[in-house]
Amino acid sequence: MELKAINHGYGQNTYHLVFVPKYRWPIFNNKAIKLECKKAFYSTAYRHGFSIYCLQIIYDHIHLFVDFNPSYSVSKVIQLFKGYSAYRVFKVFPKLKKTWYKRGHF
């Protein structure tokens, strides 16, 4: 991680973000869901020019260590990651919206 030149100075915007699925259901035990979510996070970072330093997906939550331009607010970055990953995962796994699926009945 290094300081970046910004309009009138130098700085960095590096954050550790934690994402948790609804009710903390262990949906990431399924390797296909985990892989699709990982692809969605890297795709979002690439499209918006973010740098992902570390992405760890655990069975019931996600740790993300990301750097982004100061023109983005933290809430906007979270919105981008959550929105696109949810869209992509639900498109590939429509059954995931069902309650019985999330409780481990794969």
Side-chain angles (χ1 to χ4, degrees):
M1 294 177 288
E2 58 198 40
L3 294 177
K4 294 180 181 177
I6 306 165
N7 292 340
H8 296 286
Y10 288 90
Q12 68 183 42
N13 258 0
T14 308
Y15 288 90
H16 173 224
L17 305 173
V18 179
F19 298 92
V20 180
K22 190 173 183 179
Y23 305 122
R24 217 172 177 110
W25 276 324
I27 62 170
F28 301 118
N29 281 340
N30 185 327
K31 292 184 192 262
I33 295 172
K34 188 175 182 177
L35 180 64
E36 193 63 37
C37 192
K38 193 175 204 174
K39 287 179 186 177
F41 270 65
Y42 278 107
S43 176
T44 302
Y46 178 75
R47 287 192 304 159
H48 296 282
F50 304 153
S51 298
I52 293 180
Y53 293 117
C54 184
L55 174 65
Q56 185 176 17
I57 301 177
I58 304 170
Y59 69 96
D60 69 343
H61 64 282
I62 298 171
H63 288 274
L64 176 67
F65 193 55
V66 64
D67 180 37
F68 51 89
N69 194 326
S71 63
Y72 287 97
S73 66
V74 177
S75 61
K76 183 64 176 176
V77 171
I78 292 171
Q79 178 186 10
L80 291 170
F81 278 116
K82 285 182 73 173
Y84 184 65
S85 64
Y87 170 77
R88 188 165 168 168
V89 169
F90 286 142
K91 188 173 182 178
V92 175
F93 303 99
K95 287 185 179 179
L96 194 59
K97 290 187 178 185
K98 306 284 186 215
T99 304
W100 62 269
Y101 187 83
K102 294 175 188 167
R103 291 188 181 165
H105 303 287
F106 304 121

